[in-house]
Amino acid sequence: MTVIGAIFRPQNPPERLRSVARAADEAGLEELWLWEDCFLESGIAAAAAALAWTDRLRVGIGVLPVPLRNVALTAMEIATLHRLFPGRVSVGVGHGVQDWMAQVGERVESPLTLLREHLDVLGALLRGQEVTTRGRYVQLDAVALGWPPPTPPLVLAAASGPRTLRLAGEAADGTILHAGMPLDLVRQARQLVDEGAEASGRTERHLLISYVQIHGNDREAAVEMARERARAGADHVVLEPARDEPDPEGFVRMAAEVGSVVGKD
């Protein structure tokens, strides 16, 4: 079964999130995804608000840029969300846009190394382990969460290039693909993350979450595009509105209708 979600773009003012989240919840949309783009809106703060305003809606953050965040803080925030809203949160991390990372003085020489270290430690902390590590970028001394989630959540990573996709398969439980990735690369991504998962001994299916941009509220086009990505190997298809979409509430209602069709396939 393919899970259908929709994105609330951070180009919308934060105060618009309440009505969009409630519209999504009332319409039966399964997932509402948020971004942490510089320098617009906080992913964690927005997710907490959306979860509190709704009853059943799952909320995803895709993604938190790891150069901006100490991994212990990321783990604390994710753990808190999971304890407050069990089973309703999905959080991904990624390289971040390198120009933005340079703007804040956090650009690193090896984004791939940083992401690997962050993923390994984040997963361990969320499993309730005490971590001491002296990595190139991530350094912790006997750090353990005081309130880890009762059930360790899935750790997701954003990826697009071959090396990052293999890393995501090795070190994460799922991968988020950006909306600009064509179908043939979605198929290639499915293969690469599965190769990475197999190489690291992971036996659970690696979740592939594919964004796809939809212009306007064209339900028929959205259904076809979602089905195409599902056939290419995506487990979750997340509909991304245009940057200037004037009716985000209508968009999430349309996405819920797409989910009622595609979810039956």
Side-chain angles (χ1 to χ4, degrees):
M1 181 178 121
T2 306
V3 175
I4 300 296
I7 290 170
F8 175 81
R9 294 187 68 125
Q11 287 79 19
N12 294 306
E15 57 269 23
R16 190 74 179 267
L17 177 59
R18 183 196 295 259
S19 64
V20 175
R22 287 181 169 173
D25 201 37
E26 293 166 2
L29 183 70
E30 294 192 69
E31 297 179 338
L32 183 67
W33 284 79
L34 311 169
W35 295 347
E36 188 165 85
D37 269 1
C38 298
F39 300 97
L40 296 171
E41 294 167 12
S42 159
I44 294 292
L51 288 160
W53 287 327
T54 56
D55 296 320
R56 44 147 298 278
L57 182 70
R58 293 200 301 270
V59 175
I61 304 174
V63 295
L64 303 175
V66 297
L68 282 178
R69 294 179 157 272
N70 182 283
V71 67
L73 175 61
T74 301
M76 289 165 58
E77 291 183 320
I78 293 174
T80 300
L81 287 178
H82 275 276
R83 293 189 72 103
L84 290 172
F85 307 100
R88 294 181 58 203
V89 191
S90 300
V91 180
V93 298
H95 294 312
V97 177
Q98 296 307 297
D99 287 346
W100 292 342
M101 300 303 101
Q103 277 184 272
V104 297
E106 296 296 341
R107 185 168 184 165
V108 299
E109 184 178 356
S110 177
L112 197 68
T113 300
L114 171 57
L115 184 59
R116 179 181 290 277
E117 292 179 358
H118 195 104
L119 286 169
D120 288 343
V121 172
L122 181 60
L125 290 172
L126 291 173
R127 291 191 295 272
Q129 299 174 13
E130 181 181 286
V131 178
T132 296
T133 184
R134 292 290 181 270
R136 181 174 177 182
Y137 299 111
V138 177
Q139 301 182 15
L140 299 181
D141 182 12
V143 172
L145 295 178
W147 295 102
T151 301
L154 300 182
V155 174
L156 310 177
S160 56
R163 290 195 302 163
T164 309
L165 285 163
R166 287 194 183 92
L167 168 60
E170 293 171 8
D173 303 301
T175 298
I176 301 169
L177 307 178
H178 65 80
M181 186 171 283
L183 278 175
D184 60 334
L185 293 186
V186 174
R187 296 186 190 95
Q188 184 181 16
R190 174 82 266 173
Q191 179 180 350
L192 289 170
V193 297
D194 286 346
E195 288 174 0
E198 183 178 1
S200 64
R202 291 173 175 260
T203 56
E204 297 294 325
R205 179 174 173 84
H206 187 95
L207 288 182
L208 197 63
I209 300 153
S210 178
Y211 292 178
V212 56
Q213 190 166 83
I214 306 295
H215 294 281
N217 290 342
D218 189 338
R219 193 188 78 152
E220 288 70 26
V223 166
E224 181 57 31
M225 295 176 79
R227 284 173 169 161
E228 288 176 345
R229 275 154 181 75
R231 289 193 291 265
D235 302 291
H236 295 224
V237 178
V238 183
L239 308 184
E240 177 183 323
R243 185 184 184 94
D244 59 352
E245 169 58 51
D247 182 16
E249 292 86 358
F251 188 88
V252 297
R253 294 187 188 101
M254 180 275 293
E257 294 175 0
V258 173
S260 68
V261 175
V262 177
K264 298 176 182 177
D265 291 350

